[in-house]
Amino acid sequence: MRSPGSMSCKTSRTGLRPGTGVSSWMAIGTVTESGGEQAQMGSKRNVIRMGGNVLALATSRARLLPSFLVIGTKRGGSTSLYDYVTRHPAVLPARVEKGSHYFDVNYGRGWTWFRSTFPLARGSDVITGEASPYYMFHPLAAERFAAALPEVRLIASLRDPVTRAWSQHQYETKRGFEDLPFEEALAREAERLAGQEERVRAGEESFAHRHHTYLARGRYAEQLERIYQLVPPERVLVVRSEDMFADPAAALARIWRFLGLADHQLEDVPVLKANRYEQGMPAAARAYLQSYYEPHNQRLYRLPGIDFRWEAEAPAAAAGPPERLASLPSQP
């Protein structure tokens, strides 16, 4: 890994660096603004963007390859973590939001396109990287990035799987990707995911595999075990997101050392995509999830690099789970 030196420095910046969504990055797209002047401005922006994309493709070989990947988990703080890391003066962000999604859904775009999504090389004192919370869960991503980037370092931000599942359901519902109540979505997850991993392995996309995996994404041990078969554990840093938000300076100090970067203090560390939901998780669902994840968490705690635990809350007293949760498995 490149080392930018040993001097400490300090900076301040809030919010994400501006970027352009991957879906519109390689095409001019459709102008949706009303009015002639607004349409002309939109067209000009699209032409400029297209010209930049062509230049990026033409200069792809002169661009940095990522030294690190933030691989997950979804609703686990990966957006905030990536923003914090790219605020280090020796880290340049990807050109497309927080990453290309190349190793999961954009693999078919090819290596030249992937390289074009990163900044131009500016000497040996800077590095770059990207983030995708789907990299950790996608069944093919690990073998793809392990083969393409044999020295890459991985950072996983993990959240208590009980609250992560609830947060993902609220997030998918808000975006219009989920129309089932939480308990029903949990009860129907196995049905919805039947055959979907095989579909993804065959090179197809799966909406359910990306958006309806409330239980499956929280089984962290099986995901990390797959990665450890391809990437040595010493090149994987697992951060508990609750610790990162409680003491950002300590978490970032670990990350700087892990990436071989100089010490760096951020003046402010905003929590990005931190949503406050009006309704709390149903007590029966929480009790079920705590029981469900207990063996999975114990399996996680035995893996290399895991130095934390989640303290389970005492289950709320209840007559029993709702009918739609009664058929859910109590064991992995």
Side-chain angles (χ1 to χ4, degrees):
M1 302 295 296
R2 301 180 180 90
S3 175
S6 59
M7 292 184 63
S8 298
C9 43
K10 192 173 186 179
T11 190
S12 171
R13 184 173 65 82
T14 59
L16 284 171
R17 296 175 187 267
T20 303
V22 173
S23 61
S24 64
W25 199 73
M26 291 301 296
I28 292 179
T30 302
V31 176
T32 58
E33 297 168 314
S34 60
E37 183 176 348
Q38 288 179 324
Q40 289 180 0
M41 291 176 62
S43 296
K44 288 179 181 178
R45 285 196 298 268
N46 286 328
V47 169
I48 293 172
R49 181 184 302 129
M50 189 64 177
N53 297 338
V54 171
L55 177 62
L57 286 168
T59 58
S60 63
R61 291 188 177 182
R63 295 181 177 275
L64 288 171
L65 281 174
S67 298
F68 70 91
L69 303 174
V70 177
I71 60 174
T73 185
K74 188 170 190 175
R75 308 307 297 163
S78 61
T79 297
S80 295
L81 190 153
Y82 182 72
D83 178 70
Y84 302 161
V85 173
T86 57
R87 291 166 64 186
H88 192 290
V91 180
L92 300 178
R95 297 185 64 242
V96 284
E97 293 185 346
K98 63 180 181 181
S100 67
H101 278 282
Y102 174 68
F103 295 111
D104 46 49
V105 298
N106 285 322
Y107 196 65
R109 290 178 180 263
W111 184 248
T112 298
W113 176 84
F114 173 65
R115 293 205 63 168
S116 74
T117 66
F118 293 98
L120 289 166
R122 302 178 187 175
S124 61
D125 60 342
V126 292
I127 64 173
T128 191
E130 66 167 0
S132 167
Y134 199 26
Y135 281 173
M136 182 170 165
F137 186 66
H138 192 283
L140 296 176
E143 60 188 69
R144 289 170 175 173
F145 59 63
L149 304 168
E151 300 301 320
V152 74
R153 290 180 174 264
L154 310 176
I155 306 174
S157 175
L158 303 186
R159 180 182 184 180
D160 181 343
V162 174
T163 56
R164 192 220 67 81
W166 172 248
S167 178
Q168 183 188 348
H169 180 268
Q170 299 298 292
Y171 180 70
E172 305 292 5
T173 300
K174 184 177 181 180
R175 297 177 71 196
F177 295 156
E178 178 61 89
D179 56 8
L180 297 181
F182 185 50
E183 292 162 338
E184 186 174 352
L186 294 179
R188 293 186 55 189
E189 180 167 324
E191 169 194 337
R192 287 167 136 184
L193 294 183
Q196 295 307 300
E197 180 170 329
E198 293 77 10
R199 183 177 177 179
V200 173
R201 288 185 177 277
E204 302 178 40
E205 287 195 35
S206 168
F207 184 87
H209 195 267
R210 289 191 71 179
H211 301 289
H212 297 157
T213 45
Y214 311 113
L215 291 169
R217 287 210 193 216
R219 298 195 296 262
Y220 302 136
E222 60 191 46
Q223 298 165 54
L224 286 174
E225 286 167 353
R226 178 175 64 228
I227 291 170
Y228 287 162
Q229 292 177 356
L230 301 163
V231 179
E234 58 267 23
R235 284 201 280 113
V236 182
L237 178 64
V238 180
V239 178
R240 187 170 71 163
S241 66
E242 294 90 345
D243 295 336
M244 178 177 70
F245 292 129
D247 190 351
L252 288 170
R254 290 182 63 200
I255 293 171
W256 305 148
R257 290 193 298 269
F258 177 69
L259 297 178
L261 298 173
D263 183 42
H264 179 64
Q265 297 180 15
L266 301 184
E267 187 172 304
D268 58 283
V269 281
V271 179
L272 306 176
K273 287 191 177 180
N275 296 321
R276 295 181 178 179
Y277 303 116
E278 295 180 0
Q279 289 184 313
M281 188 189 314
R286 180 181 295 276
Y288 166 74
L289 289 173
Q290 288 173 350
S291 174
Y292 177 86
Y293 281 122
E294 176 61 22
H296 293 288
N297 288 344
Q298 293 302 322
R299 180 176 167 186
L300 171 70
Y301 301 153
R302 293 191 291 269
L303 293 181
I306 306 300
D307 58 357
F308 56 81
R309 300 286 188 274
W310 284 293
E311 296 295 333
E313 297 180 12
E323 182 178 349
R324 56 180 162 233
L325 284 179
S327 62
L328 280 169
S330 58
Q331 298 297 327

